Amino acid sequence: MQDLGNYPHIRQSAIRSLFEIFEQSSEGTIIVDRDAHIVWMNERYAQRFGLHGASEAIGRPCESVIPGSLLRDVVKSGRPILLDMMDTPREPLVVMRLPIRGDAGEVIGAIGFALFDELQSLSPLLARYQAMQQELASTRSQLKSRQAKYSFAHFIGTSARSLEVKRLARRSATSDSAVLLLGETGTGKELLAHAIHNASPRASKPFVSLNTAAIPETLLEAEFFGTAPGAFTGADRKGRAGKLQIAHGGTLFLDEIGDMPLPLQSKLLRVLQEKEFEPVGSNEVLRSDVRLIAATSIDLEAAVRKGTFRADLYYRLNVLTLAVPPLRERLEDLPALCEAIFDALQGRHELHPEAMALLGRHAWPGNVRELHNVLERACLLSDDSVLDYKAVATAIGTLHPLPETQDVAAQTGEVEDFHQARANFERELIRKALATTAGDVPQAAQRLGLGRSTLYRKMLELGLSS
């Protein structure tokens, strides 16, 4: 008959031997009590975490020595964590954590082993983990580069026109409908597109912009839809994601959409209607979940009449339309804009009152972008911190007088050219129509036989407001 009295002794010897094997072969060993305070730690592990000796760790909470330690969770739950990855300042470790139970079965502590160096069989797992970490870091970096840069606070201005634009833009942010931004170059259409995205429920998703006028027509479709592997000569063998795919779940901003080729317009219309698309050279249909914001500085209604822009696409885009006013229609914003530009230039410049008055007499055909360039040029060319009339006049170059100044010139008998005469005629005609309709733009547009967006554009060009 077997002697059962030796079984507890053998069990205790096995436990002791197992502990000694793990302790000797592991990269580190640590034991904590029921409060997750360290009661023992081997010297190798102590040195790995910057301690001069293991005695420095005794009595301290495990997290204060090993950031990210889960031994406290093991003590609380009583459940082991057999294999896990733990980041350390030097390299990741494969760790095992086990609860320690008393005679009555209660959890009285936990023990952890770091098994990195000796388990060569885990090297594929470690390599895969490190590759995943690198891929995650790369994805985070790409996502960060696809985040919107501006908010409504960056659209400087407290004039009535500026406040109205920001009010409508904020309202559009709550919807998923397409937004069409109309306005001259340099008025801040792209800035507003960023701000709308940042204020929308899609703010945490990508913001992707595409300037349709800046990309050759032959490459625009591939840039927009992406390509399948080897779709054409010179194409990426692995295929390439297009802007639609990159912007999935977020916002796609199409700048200068009025310059988009007609064939691509029809494909964009399908994306908006069917919420799906096919990469170039592929038969795979991909779902599209993007919020579209488009911008243009041309008259889309006129382009529709000429046949250079699809009417059905125009109506699909013309849901929420924002007319961004030119700088000459919100000159009261000039002081705030100048201050913001000086802050961005990180200089200590300011404007002499005569220089500010000169800025108020310029029509700013390049709008806020031109203002930024003028002030930057003046700062670079001037040795004084206060920019005077001469410095600003030199930076502006050719002064474009405001439309009101042109009217005065015409009344004093000065000869005006054909373009000035036509502008003056259109301005007066629109003024009368607006006066007749008490400032109601849609009614005025109907009286004049113009589309609403066309009238808005004309008003922007001629320096009129409703």
Side-chain angles (χ1 to χ4, degrees), residues 74-230:
V74 174
V75 172
K76 287 182 178 180
S77 66
R79 292 191 297 268
I81 302 176
L82 296 180
L83 281 179
D84 191 19
M85 302 292 295
M86 184 176 71
D87 286 320
T88 73
R90 287 168 50 185
E91 57 200 350
L93 294 176
V94 179
V95 296
M96 179 171 61
R97 308 177 182 98
L98 304 171
I100 301 174
R101 300 185 181 276
D103 295 337
E106 76 282 10
V107 177
I108 61 174
I111 184 170
F113 299 100
L115 310 173
F116 179 76
D117 287 337
E118 298 300 326
L119 293 185
Q120 297 299 325
S121 60
L122 288 178
S123 58
L125 175 63
L126 294 174
R128 183 178 178 185
Y129 172 79
Q130 291 173 330
M132 290 174 62
Q133 289 289 88
Q134 293 174 358
E135 184 177 351
L136 178 60
S138 175
T139 301
R140 285 174 175 169
S141 176
Q142 292 177 8
L143 182 59
K144 186 176 181 180
S145 68
R146 296 294 183 183
Q147 290 178 336
K149 302 176 183 177
Y150 308 110
S151 66
F152 287 114
H154 292 92
F155 191 86
I156 307 298
T158 57
S159 64
R161 294 297 301 277
S162 298
L163 293 177
E164 178 65 7
V165 166
K166 285 195 278 190
R167 184 186 70 83
L168 295 175
R170 283 194 181 94
R171 177 175 294 183
S172 71
T174 62
S175 169
D176 249 1
S177 301
V179 176
L180 181 59
L181 301 173
L182 303 175
E184 299 175 8
T185 179
T187 52
K189 298 186 294 296
E190 183 170 1
L191 187 152
L192 280 174
H194 281 254
I196 291 171
H197 172 79
N198 259 338
S200 74
R202 296 174 178 261
S204 62
K205 301 296 183 179
F207 177 87
V208 180
S209 60
L210 179 63
N211 189 321
T212 57
I215 300 175
E217 183 175 343
T218 54
L219 300 178
L220 190 56
E221 184 175 356
E223 188 73 19
F224 194 70
F225 295 104
T227 60

Side-chain angles (χ1 to χ4, degrees), residues 424-434 448 464:
N424 292 335
F425 172 77
E426 291 181 347
R427 187 179 301 106
E428 187 61 27
L429 185 65
I430 293 174
R431 278 176 178 166
K432 290 180 179 178
L434 290 171
L448 294 169
L464 297 172

Side-chain angles (χ1 to χ4, degrees), residues 105-359:
E106 76 282 10
V107 177
I108 61 174
I111 184 170
F113 299 100
L115 310 173
F116 179 76
D117 287 337
E118 298 300 326
L119 293 185
Q120 297 299 325
S121 60
L122 288 178
S123 58
L125 175 63
L126 294 174
R128 183 178 178 185
Y129 172 79
Q130 291 173 330
M132 290 174 62
Q133 289 289 88
Q134 293 174 358
E135 184 177 351
L136 178 60
S138 175
T139 301
R140 285 174 175 169
S141 176
Q142 292 177 8
L143 182 59
K144 186 176 181 180
S145 68
R146 296 294 183 183
Q147 290 178 336
K149 302 176 183 177
Y150 308 110
S151 66
F152 287 114
H154 292 92
F155 191 86
I156 307 298
T158 57
S159 64
R161 294 297 301 277
S162 298
L163 293 177
E164 178 65 7
V165 166
K166 285 195 278 190
R167 184 186 70 83
L168 295 175
R170 283 194 181 94
R171 177 175 294 183
S172 71
T174 62
S175 169
D176 249 1
S177 301
V179 176
L180 181 59
L181 301 173
L182 303 175
E184 299 175 8
T185 179
T187 52
K189 298 186 294 296
E190 183 170 1
L191 187 152
L192 280 174
H194 281 254
I196 291 171
H197 172 79
N198 259 338
S200 74
R202 296 174 178 261
S204 62
K205 301 296 183 179
F207 177 87
V208 180
S209 60
L210 179 63
N211 189 321
T212 57
I215 300 175
E217 183 175 343
T218 54
L219 300 178
L220 190 56
E221 184 175 356
E223 188 73 19
F224 194 70
F225 295 104
T227 60
F232 52 85
T233 303
D236 194 327
R237 293 181 180 179
K238 297 181 180 179
R240 185 169 180 268
K243 293 296 190 288
L244 269 173
Q245 192 171 351
I246 297 172
H248 187 76
T251 299
L252 178 62
F253 173 58
L254 296 181
D255 199 7
E256 300 299 343
I257 195 171
D259 296 316
M260 179 177 282
L262 278 170
L264 190 57
Q265 291 179 28
S266 61
K267 295 186 177 183
L268 173 59
L269 181 63
R270 174 177 172 80
V271 173
L272 295 177
Q273 290 176 338
E274 306 299 333
K275 306 295 184 183
E276 60 186 29
F277 66 97
E278 296 180 11
V280 176
S282 172
N283 293 323
E284 181 184 6
V285 177
L286 302 179
R287 296 294 300 169
S288 172
D289 175 23
V290 297
R291 199 273 177 90
L292 183 67
I293 301 178
T296 183
S297 56
I298 71 170
D299 185 349
L300 285 185
E301 288 191 348
V304 170
R305 290 194 295 270
K306 292 178 183 178
T308 58
F309 201 86
R310 292 180 62 102
D312 44 7
L313 177 58
Y314 170 68
Y315 297 130
R316 175 67 68 169
L317 294 173
N318 193 23
V319 179
L320 297 171
T321 303
L322 296 179
V324 187
L327 180 55
R328 62 179 172 273
E329 286 190 12
R330 55 185 190 106
L331 291 176
E332 52 266 57
D333 294 333
L334 268 176
L337 283 167
C338 291
E339 183 177 352
I341 292 171
F342 285 142
D343 287 343
L345 294 175
Q346 298 180 345
R348 297 182 178 179
H349 291 86
E350 56 183 290
L351 288 167
H352 189 277
E354 291 183 355
M356 179 64 76
L358 175 61
L359 296 180

